[in-house]
Amino acid sequence: MRVAVPHRWPVDRAEAEAIQDRLRPRVRVEPDDAPPPRPRLVAGLDVAYAKDDERLAAAVVVLDAATLEVVESVTTVGRAAFPYVPGLFAFRELPTLVTALERLTVTPDLLVCDGQGVAHPRRFGLACHLGVLTDLPSIGVAKQSLVGDHADPAPQRGAWSPVRDAGEVVGRALRTQTGVKPVYVSVGHRVSLAAATDLTLRLAPAYRLPETTRHADRLSREALRAALGTPA
DNA sequence: GCGACAG
DNA sequence: ATCTTGTCGC
């Protein structure tokens, strides 16, 4: 698929934040009463890092939303494009993830990202960034919270509590499995928070994390191992 | 000044 | 994220 590749890459924090502020207005958040999306192909994206914190491998895995079976997968190796700074995390892995997306022969109907969407200091986390670059619906499903406060959701699968930051609801702490730590769901692009929640639950029928993320996590680690075996 | 801080 | 074995519990 085609991706609107960023032309200028930030060299420091100020430039990176400026890019986020410039792209932020392009994010489209659907209202919760909007017609729910019915994606047929859902893509999971993840990145594995080498211990030297520089080389990395990205994986994009496309699943059939109905059966959760793998339709296609792509892996790419690269190098960290930015130091890790909370809030600027996307700049680390964006180039390698975009390369992987461009090698996809099918176009997914939804991107499920391993990180935040609008639950971000400038309301522009990785899921928003990838959503805007591809103009595809996207959601963020993070294992940890980045901003805001929330109550602990009830222990049952499906229970959730809003994540509020600076007076606005930016995401949900969602229990995908009874008695298991919640995940943090937020809108990336062209979806509602209600739909993002519903999709996350559907994609996580048996484990805490969505099957999309689990597949991408495993494949990115395998690709990294293979790449490290052949030092560049 | 102190603590928090996606992956 | 990554470094890492066994171990407690359902």
Side-chain angles (χ1 to χ4, degrees):
Chain A
M1 68 166 295
R2 252 184 89 178
V3 182
V5 180
H7 284 173
R8 178 157 152 262
W9 202 250
V11 299
D12 58 29
R13 190 176 341 205
E15 287 187 5
E17 291 180 359
I19 289 173
Q20 291 181 332
D21 289 335
R22 180 166 54 77
L23 294 179
R24 167 67 185 86
R26 296 201 204 179
V27 170
R28 284 169 40 188
V29 179
E30 299 299 322
D32 277 355
D33 59 7
R38 296 168 180 73
R40 188 178 75 82
L41 299 177
V42 294
L45 303 88
D46 195 19
V47 171
Y49 293 87
K51 56 184 175 184
D52 61 27
D53 206 39
E54 194 180 335
R55 280 182 295 183
L56 52 79
V60 179
V61 185
V62 180
L63 305 186
D64 182 306
T67 64
L68 298 187
E69 290 180 353
V70 176
V71 172
E72 183 178 8
S73 66
V74 174
T75 60
T76 32
V77 294
R79 291 183 178 275
F82 207 79
Y84 173 68
V85 179
L88 301 178
F89 161 65
F91 292 99
R92 252 175 113 58
E93 36 189 67
L94 221 38
T96 312
L97 282 173
V98 166
T99 299
L101 279 169
E102 287 178 324
R103 290 183 188 172
L104 231 41
T105 67
V106 298
T107 299
D109 304 303
L110 175 76
L111 302 182
V112 180
C113 306
D114 189 27
Q116 315 290 346
V118 300
H120 177 277
R122 284 167 298 284
R123 306 294 181 261
F124 198 74
L126 173 67
C128 299
H129 211 138
L130 280 167
V132 165
L133 293 183
T134 59
D135 200 32
L136 291 176
S138 70
I139 67 175
V141 181
K143 298 180 285 297
Q144 301 280 323
S145 178
L146 174 61
V147 294
D149 304 289
H150 62 87
D152 193 40
Q156 289 72 32
R157 164 177 157 88
W160 55 267
S161 53
V163 176
R164 292 193 179 81
D165 183 50
E168 57 181 317
V169 174
V170 296
R172 289 175 180 175
L174 172 67
R175 197 85 66 182
T176 53
Q177 298 298 323
T178 298
V180 173
K181 268 200 308 183
V183 297
Y184 297 87
V185 178
S186 58
V187 169
H189 187 50
R190 294 176 55 181
V191 296
S192 69
L193 182 53
T197 303
D198 180 65
L199 289 163
T200 300
L201 276 176
R202 271 201 280 154
L203 293 171
Y207 296 92
R208 178 184 179 228
L209 297 178
E211 288 302 306
T212 38
T213 302
R214 288 165 46 78
H215 280 288
D217 180 81
R218 181 174 46 74
L219 288 179
S220 63
R221 292 191 199 206
E222 289 176 0
L224 181 63
R225 280 189 56 189
L228 293 180
T230 310

